[in-house]
Amino acid sequence: MSVACRFLSSALLHRATACLSMTGCRNSCSNNRQMHWIRQIGTVANAPAVCARPVNLTYDVFDGKGDKTPLVFLHGLFGSKSNFQSIAKSLVQRTGRKVLTVDARNHGKSTHSPMITYEAMTNDLTQLLAQLRIGKCILIGHSMGGKVAMTTALTQPNLVERLVVVDISPAPTTPLTNFPAYIQAMKDVKVPNDVPRSTARRLAEDQLRKHVKERSVRQFLLTNLIEEDGQYSWRVNLEAIGNHLKDIMSFPAFNTSYEGPTLFLGGTNSAYISSEDYPEIQRLFPCADIQYIPDASHWIHADKPLDFISSLVAFLQS
């Protein structure tokens, strides 16, 4: 399948100057209905954390009345399922679909493990979906979660009806990140016990500022600061993430492809999906379309939530 040049005149989106053709991809119908949502919280009990065996994942379900294929959101590095809470509620109302948001291993309230690779995270997700009796889903993954979603689609295509990859590509991302500095800065933070949470956040941010210059990034990292019995700590497993950062920044090698409808959604102010990535995207995802949301950074869903939701709804209806 050749690379086709095309543009979208919508005020919300403009596509890449070189986009992948959607020819031959499956179509689906979707009716926009107003639905209520019911928030459920649960943890699936899985195998112990040994090698790449599944671990317990914490999840939220936002349940619509429709019986269409559910949406499953996977967050990025240092994120959590709460990153997509408002997005999930809106999509239930817009589409009537059940929406599942998941904490990755070593993130949020999910189980910690010394291993964090895409094989391991894909096994976690597969086990979770099996436990919840979800035989097919629409995977939506941001950054690290996008790589988990791609890995799942490439290894278990029958499980993925459609795929959305948010501001990441199947290419190494190491040159684009300052994550080693972020990890060290977080490890170096010292907060006294039994101080108010507002004081703890201020002290932690002051200490992060030296190595994390962007305020938005500091605020994002601080979402991981938790208090238990008067003591403050990071809920992410910094040791495991640091030990496997090379794995997280890379992407497994595949000789297979995922033939289902796929959307790569990038931000125009981000460098995570570049034209240099298009050939590999086309090789692995021949039914992929690449779109960019104007004035959005790497955190598209936070910068432009309405445009992000509109893009997802349009893709589901295509």
Side-chain angles (χ1 to χ4, degrees), residues 182-201:
Y182 298 165
I183 292 172
Q184 190 57 53
M186 293 171 76
K187 286 182 176 181
D188 291 342
V189 167
K190 300 292 187 293
V191 177
N193 296 340
D194 298 316
V195 299
R197 180 167 178 79
S198 59
T199 301
R201 283 181 61 91

Side-chain angles (χ1 to χ4, degrees), residues 55-102:
V55 303
N56 298 354
L57 297 183
T58 307
Y59 61 91
D60 288 351
V61 176
F62 301 84
D63 206 358
K65 290 183 178 180
D67 57 359
K68 299 173 186 176
T69 306
L71 309 177
V72 177
F73 279 88
L74 308 175
H75 63 78
L77 189 60
F78 295 117
S80 72
K81 57 184 171 59
S82 63
N83 296 158
F84 293 106
Q85 186 177 66
S86 60
I87 299 289
K89 293 176 184 179
S90 180
L91 285 170
V92 169
Q93 294 176 339
R94 292 279 298 269
T95 70
R97 296 176 187 262
K98 176 185 293 185
V99 181
L100 185 75
T101 61
V102 183

Side-chain angles (χ1 to χ4, degrees), residues 90-168:
S90 180
L91 285 170
V92 169
Q93 294 176 339
R94 292 279 298 269
T95 70
R97 296 176 187 262
K98 176 185 293 185
V99 181
L100 185 75
T101 61
V102 183
D103 279 336
R105 63 166 56 200
N106 296 316
H107 290 74
K109 296 181 180 179
S110 285
T111 301
H112 282 196
S113 166
M115 175 170 285
I116 179 167
T117 64
Y118 290 114
E119 176 191 15
M121 288 185 280
T122 296
N123 287 345
D124 295 342
L125 177 63
T126 302
Q127 180 85 349
L128 174 65
L129 295 177
Q131 293 280 350
L132 296 176
R133 298 183 179 181
I134 297 176
K136 191 177 286 292
C137 66
I138 296 172
L139 274 184
I140 304 166
H142 171 248
S143 197
M144 179 187 76
K147 291 188 176 184
V148 176
M150 287 188 283
T151 301
T152 304
L154 288 165
T155 56
Q156 301 180 72
N158 292 335
L159 186 61
V160 184
E161 182 177 291
R162 284 173 175 254
L163 174 66
V164 180
V165 182
V166 184
D167 210 55
I168 203 70

